[in-house]
Amino acid sequence: MKNCVLVCGAGGFIGGHLVKRLINAGYWVRGVDLKRNEFSTSRANEFMVGDLRDPEIVKAALVGIDEVYQLAADMGGAGYIFTGEHDAAVMHNSATINLNVLEFGRDAGVKKFFYSSSACIYPAYNQTDPDHPTCSEDSAYPAAPDSEYGWEKLFSERLYAAYQRNYGIDVRVARFHNIFGPEGTWSGGREKAPAAICRKVAETPDGGEIEIWGDGKQTRSFLYVDECVEGIQRLMTSNFEGPVNIGSEEMVTINQLTELVMEIADKRLRVRHIEGPLGVRGRNSDNRLIREKLAWEPSASLRDGVEKTYAWIAEQVAASQKVQTQSA
């Protein structure tokens, strides 16, 4: 009999891609989210539209489920997370979801849980040097995340660990590092850096100007979504509990990422640096532990992922501009 799995956050970017991966692997999948997938039709066997902050929705979603993949969260890019304007909602909404999923999942007899944590849990004091950030899994404490989003993720990591210790449930925890790709948010304020830069380049005529927050020398690594869901599945089918980084070690500055997108788009644009929310100065996945424990790590190049992502976002921009022209 097929394992029955629940994907919380199945209407979101990573959740939508994970559903496809699980269906292809032969699982029976129920998805649940506040909304359906914005850019494609979910391949889930069953999809519930509901609020995971509501205990009754969570109880209904868990009926007959063997494994839970918990990716639902109140989140977004720097323009949402680092302004401070959404801190209470981010912490309350995400913590409530995790408390509900764990407590009612335990009651329902769920055998295994996956929890998607974040590189945002790592201490800000280890990420001040853009060229040499420290993001190994054992560097998480003494804790000092740079955002309330990171603090909530760290709290929830401990929540899952406590339920594992006290109730004997099986838990896997991964810390995602800047996942990107097609079918992700690309406008509206919650998009992350790769999508925002792809959108700005796609919207701007050759020779024009785009704006980048900060001096552009801040560093990050970005992981294409297909490799993220591969890592999730490898972790869930392994004997390793985590937490473990799922990310790329190909670190770039935001300026370098912008140059890459312009090169792929075959455009030369002026870059104007402006003030904006930035997060830490440097961040890069440390993949030593995932290599050791799973004998695997992400290997696709940033360019490969950006080429696919830019092509998709350019299509979205063109379609949006066509609609605006027709309604003008």
Side-chain angles (χ1 to χ4, degrees):
M1 184 176 174
K2 290 182 180 179
N3 252 22
C4 297
V5 305
L6 175 68
V7 177
C8 302
F13 166 49
I14 302 174
H17 284 273
L18 178 60
V19 167
K20 295 175 193 174
R21 175 72 172 75
L22 292 168
I23 289 289
N24 289 341
Y27 293 86
W28 185 93
V29 180
R30 176 183 295 141
V32 61
D33 207 319
L34 272 174
K35 59 177 179 59
R36 293 186 179 275
N37 297 73
E38 187 175 353
F39 305 112
S40 65
T41 301
S42 176
R43 288 187 59 198
N45 300 95
E46 185 180 300
F47 195 102
M48 291 176 57
V49 176
D51 190 336
L52 290 165
R53 294 171 299 179
D54 181 344
E56 298 309 313
I57 294 293
V58 176
K59 290 175 188 176
L62 287 163
V63 172
I65 293 298
D66 300 307
E67 298 180 1
V68 169
Y69 292 75
Q70 201 323 69
L71 290 85
D74 190 347
M75 57 85 67
Y80 184 75
I81 294 298
F82 296 121
T83 63
E85 297 171 6
H86 312 287
D87 288 348
V90 164
M91 297 187 82
H92 173 271
N93 293 338
S94 296
T96 301
I97 291 169
N98 286 310
L99 288 160
N100 282 344
V101 167
L102 267 173
E103 180 65 12
F104 299 119
R106 177 177 70 92
D107 287 346
V110 171
K111 300 182 181 71
K112 188 182 287 189
F113 293 80
F114 169 82
Y115 174 59
S116 60
S117 186
S118 167
C120 289
I121 67 99
Y122 287 116
Y125 58 75
N126 280 337
Q127 299 172 88
T128 57
D129 181 349
D131 298 319
H132 302 96
T134 299
C135 295
S136 58
E137 288 83 354
D138 60 4
S139 72
Y141 298 92
D146 71 338
S147 65
E148 302 300 354
Y149 172 80
W151 277 109
E152 188 282 322
K153 285 292 188 183
L154 193 58
F155 161 77
S156 290
E157 281 191 14
R158 298 186 69 89
L159 179 68
Y160 279 82
Y163 266 70
Q164 183 168 29
R165 286 195 309 274
N166 292 166
Y167 300 123
I169 61 173
D170 206 0
V171 167
R172 300 288 183 273
V173 177
R175 294 169 180 165
F176 293 164
H177 285 251
N178 297 308
I179 314 304
F180 77 101
E183 299 183 13
T185 300
W186 59 274
S187 64
R190 293 205 188 203
E191 68 275 19
K192 295 188 176 182
I197 293 169
C198 286
R199 185 196 75 245
K200 290 175 182 181
V201 171
E203 288 174 340
T204 307
D206 195 16
E209 181 179 88
I210 60 172
E211 295 178 342
I212 298 294
W213 290 342
D215 62 9
K217 296 178 182 176
Q218 62 270 36
T219 56
R220 294 291 187 274
S221 63
F222 301 96
L223 182 67
Y224 191 65
V225 65
D226 287 358
E227 294 208 289
C228 175
V229 297
E230 177 70 20
I232 293 170
Q233 268 305 94
R234 286 175 179 264
L235 178 62
M236 275 293 270
T237 55
S238 77
N239 293 320
F240 181 52
E241 298 168 3
V244 66
N245 291 327
I246 295 184
S248 168
E249 289 185 323
E250 185 181 350
M251 188 171 72
V252 294
T253 67
I254 297 301
N255 286 336
Q256 287 172 329
L257 176 62
T258 304
E259 287 291 328
L260 176 62
V261 175
M262 288 191 291
E263 187 181 317
I264 288 168
D266 195 22
K267 292 183 181 181
R268 294 311 309 166
L269 306 173
R270 297 184 304 279
V271 175
R272 184 157 64 95
H273 296 279
I274 63 171
E275 288 190 7
L278 300 176
V280 294
R281 191 64 176 158
R283 177 173 289 153
N284 189 27
S285 186
D286 183 325
N287 286 352
R288 288 175 294 177
L289 188 62
I290 197 169
R291 283 195 293 267
E292 175 192 338
K293 297 297 185 179
L294 301 186
W296 175 85
E297 67 176 315
S299 59
S301 71
L302 178 62
R303 172 179 277 275
D304 286 347
V306 173
E307 285 177 348
K308 296 171 186 172
T309 305
Y310 180 79
W312 182 81
I313 290 178
E315 287 180 2
Q316 306 304 307
V317 168
S320 176
Q321 291 174 339
K322 183 177 180 181
V323 169
Q324 290 171 6
T325 300
Q326 290 172 343
S327 61

